[in-house]
Amino acid sequence: MLIKQRSEPLELTILKTLNARSLLNATDSVHFHNLEKGYRGEIMFDEYMKEVSNENNLILNDLLLEYKNTVFQIDSLFQFSNTLHLFEVKNFEGDFIIDDEKWYSIGIMRKEIKNPLLQLKRTESLLRQLLQELGSPFPIEAHLVFINPNFHLYKAPADHPIIYPSQLSRFREKLKSRSPVLKASHRKLAKQLLSLHMEDNPYARIPEYRYEGLEKGIVCPGCQGFYGAGSFKMPHLICNGCGVVEPYETAVLRSVAEIRMLFPGVKITTNLVFEWCGVFKSKKTIWKILAKNFKRVNQGKVSYYIDSN
């Protein structure tokens, strides 16, 4: 049973927006693309493992926890009657090798990378200590999952807790065969972990940005380019690049959410949203959408909009 859905991390969402509206430097660009690729891998894992979800297990995805001032992230946690399965999911692509317990990518040059097994062991240790403090010392089985079919690892010892793409089907069927019924203690633990989940990652790496330095317009949800001139075809916006068709009201509301995300606390006004969207010829279009979906505060030039509930 899926208890906690996975959602796109706020850090990734902000970086995606900044990447569309500005020029990220090389370091931020690499970080953004790594986050994006990692998230795609986690979504692939969720899709692959959705058949496992039933009344005999509890699944929590994307937990951000803290124990003794140390923050750690759990990609997926599957709780069965007698075991917690901890998953660290990697979307690595290409050839890799383990040499003297060090990990290297093999390409034009051999480059050392962070050892993902050490990351898994750290997460497992912190989770075990947290469970002991909560009074729920369930045994943990930790797994390092490589989800990308174009991944290969050389010289990996057989006793490592690694699941390769070719092994995922067999592993999934093994989990599906487990039938013991969950108890109240399992649901209690799931609620405890949910209550400890941190919404904001204190280690998120967001580059500095200013309103004036961001390109204005509505970003297409399909290709991440901007809706161009002539894209407004009542009642839709049509992307000249990829052909995506989106109701213009949906696009405006998405733009309002984008402004709020990038500039928390800013007052949402007709002029601000009109300038941010850029593709509309009349402010009346924006005014109608804001008036329909939000509550107006004050009148005239000093009016702004807040959530209606």
Side-chain angles (χ1 to χ4, degrees):
M1 183 184 304
L2 183 59
I3 301 298
K4 183 180 181 299
Q5 296 272 4
R6 191 184 309 281
S7 59
E8 185 174 273
L10 180 60
E11 179 182 15
L12 174 56
T13 305
I14 292 177
L15 285 171
K16 184 185 296 184
T17 303
L18 295 180
N19 183 64
R21 296 185 177 274
S22 64
L23 182 63
L24 297 178
N25 64 37
T27 300
D28 292 330
S29 180
V30 169
H31 179 55
F32 160 58
H33 289 294
N34 285 340
L35 284 179
E36 189 175 44
K37 186 173 183 179
Y39 181 65
R40 286 201 306 268
E42 292 167 3
I43 295 298
M44 290 167 60
F45 176 78
D46 294 344
E47 181 66 22
Y48 204 88
M49 300 295 285
K50 66 181 182 181
E51 294 180 17
V52 178
S53 179
N54 56 47
E55 68 277 3
N56 297 320
N57 59 67
L58 302 175
I59 300 175
L60 295 95
N61 289 324
D62 197 24
L63 283 171
L64 188 64
L65 304 171
E66 182 177 5
Y67 180 73
K68 289 188 176 180
N69 298 318
T70 301
V71 176
F72 62 104
Q73 181 177 352
I74 295 175
D75 289 340
S76 287
L77 188 67
F78 287 38
Q79 185 175 358
F80 290 86
S81 62
N82 55 358
T83 307
L84 294 182
H85 287 269
L86 170 67
F87 295 96
E88 178 71 30
V89 181
K90 295 298 182 185
N91 191 15
F92 288 4
E93 187 173 6
D95 295 328
F96 295 79
I97 189 170
I98 299 177
D99 190 357
D100 193 25
E101 297 189 357
K102 295 183 176 65
W103 286 57
Y104 299 89
S105 62
I106 305 174
I108 299 176
M109 296 181 61
R110 189 161 119 157
K111 182 180 178 181
E112 185 174 356
I113 64 170
K114 290 182 179 179
N115 184 339
L117 284 172
L118 294 180
Q119 181 181 352
L120 177 66
K121 290 177 181 178
R122 172 183 177 272
T123 301
E124 180 185 5
S125 175
L126 289 167
L127 177 61
R128 182 177 291 108
Q129 294 175 66
L130 176 59
L131 293 180
Q132 290 172 352
E133 187 170 292
L134 294 174
S136 301
F138 290 99
I140 300 172
E141 287 188 22
H143 311 278
L144 176 60
V145 178
F146 290 101
I147 196 69
N148 196 311
N150 296 317
F151 167 84
H152 188 79
L153 179 63
Y154 295 93
K155 297 175 64 176
D159 60 348
H160 279 17
I162 297 175
I163 301 175
Y164 297 98
S166 60
Q167 298 173 316
L168 270 170
S169 293
R170 294 193 301 275
F171 182 79
R172 181 181 60 187
E173 294 308 309
K174 179 181 177 181
L175 290 183
K176 286 170 60 178
S177 67
R178 303 197 172 195
S179 59
V181 179
L182 295 175
K183 300 178 181 178
S185 57
H186 300 94
R187 293 179 174 82
K188 177 183 177 181
L189 175 59
K191 290 181 179 179
Q192 288 176 313
L193 292 176
L194 278 176
S195 69
L196 295 173
H197 170 68
M198 303 167 59
E199 292 294 341
D200 298 324
N201 185 351
Y203 300 107
R205 289 165 43 191
I206 305 297
E208 292 185 3
Y209 58 88
R210 298 172 64 246
Y211 179 85
E212 295 78 8
L214 300 179
E215 187 174 349
K216 309 305 184 288
I218 299 181
V219 178
C220 169
C223 65
Q224 296 299 301
F226 285 96
Y227 285 117
S231 59
F232 186 31
K233 309 290 185 182
M234 182 77 75
H236 296 99
L237 290 171
I238 303 175
C239 180
N240 297 330
C242 69
V244 159
V245 178
E246 181 181 23
Y248 70 85
E249 182 172 336
T250 302
V252 170
L253 293 176
R254 186 162 52 81
S255 297
V256 171
E258 196 176 58
I259 295 171
R260 286 177 155 182
M261 175 186 68
L262 294 176
F263 307 100
V266 70
K267 291 183 177 179
I268 300 300
T269 66
T270 300
N271 286 338
L272 175 63
V273 178
F274 177 76
E275 181 181 44
W276 185 260
C277 291
V279 297
F280 299 103
K281 295 181 179 180
S282 171
K283 293 180 183 179
K284 188 175 181 180
T285 302
I286 301 297
W287 173 80
K288 286 182 177 179
I289 294 173
L290 294 179
K292 175 183 176 182
N293 293 278
F294 300 95
K295 178 181 178 181
R296 187 169 67 178
V297 177
N298 297 328
Q299 299 292 328
K301 294 183 179 179
V302 296
S303 66
Y304 59 95
Y305 294 87
I306 62 174
D307 290 331
S308 55
N309 49 11

